[in-house]
Amino acid sequence: MDAPPSTRRSPALIPRERDVGLRRIAIGTALGRVVVRAGRRADGPATILLHGAAGSWTTWTPLLAAADAASAPLTDVVAPDLPGWGDSGTLPRGTDVGAMSDAVVEIARSLGYTRWRVVGHSLGGFIALDLAARHPRETIAVVLVSPSGAGVVDALRPRCAEARGCPDSPGCC
């Protein structure tokens, strides 16, 4: 029988990349040096994991460990410390979400990926949606975990309409 919610322990963050089958790589982007944990290569599309504000790649280690324990390991993992967070360089002043999603695309492409699934938490969810709206052909799926911002849909509608070549209307995107 499962333990009552009040006594369940949250899975611990795993601070070493090698303990979840990843390696640390520094990649130069238009926003500066971004430190990425990547690995578990299976020659499929990338599984890009984007953390939230004030987070790092370790946000995803409980998920990686749980997937392994369930015999359903995530493969082709790309887990950056987003610019300005974790081990990555300082976020340039005035950076917008579009520049952040461009940096994520630079990272994926520099690792040899041309298609991806994107999972985003909080701020990472906002970036994931922007990336998908701007790169619909390369994006296979988007999963959001508590995406931030009440205006996420309004912010992305113009980019979605542009990417799809349809007018900026609620029925388009």
Side-chain angles (χ1 to χ4, degrees):
M1 180 198 285
D2 287 336
S6 61
T7 61
R8 287 187 199 142
R9 290 187 53 189
S10 295
L13 296 179
I14 301 167
R16 293 187 316 217
E17 54 273 344
R18 70 174 180 250
D19 291 343
V20 289
L22 303 177
R23 68 186 189 288
R24 184 181 191 276
I25 306 165
I27 297 174
T29 72
L31 293 180
R33 181 184 65 93
V34 175
V35 176
V36 179
R37 275 47 177 216
R40 300 171 169 227
R41 197 77 186 220
D43 295 323
T47 301
I48 301 174
L49 305 174
L50 303 175
H51 64 79
S56 75
W57 76 277
T58 60
T59 296
W60 302 107
T61 60
L63 173 68
L64 293 167
D68 290 348
S71 298
L74 297 179
T75 58
D76 294 284
V77 172
V78 176
D81 279 344
L82 292 170
W85 307 106
D87 292 334
S88 291
T90 304
L91 185 64
R93 198 174 180 97
T95 300
D96 63 9
V97 171
M100 295 284 276
S101 60
D102 286 346
V104 172
V105 168
E106 283 182 79
I107 291 163
R109 288 185 175 151
S110 75
L111 293 171
Y113 294 104
T114 57
R115 300 189 72 211
W116 43 75
R117 296 175 192 90
V118 188
V119 181
H121 170 252
S122 188
L123 170 64
F126 195 32
I127 295 167
L129 286 173
D130 183 76
L131 187 155
R134 295 170 70 217
H135 299 276
R137 287 185 181 93
E138 296 93 336
T139 305
I140 296 168
V142 177
V143 176
L144 305 177
V145 181
S146 300
S148 63
V152 168
V153 173
D154 290 338
L156 294 177
R157 189 169 285 126
R159 291 184 197 261
C160 176
E162 179 183 319
R164 291 189 178 181
C166 55
D168 185 18
S169 65
C172 177
C173 296

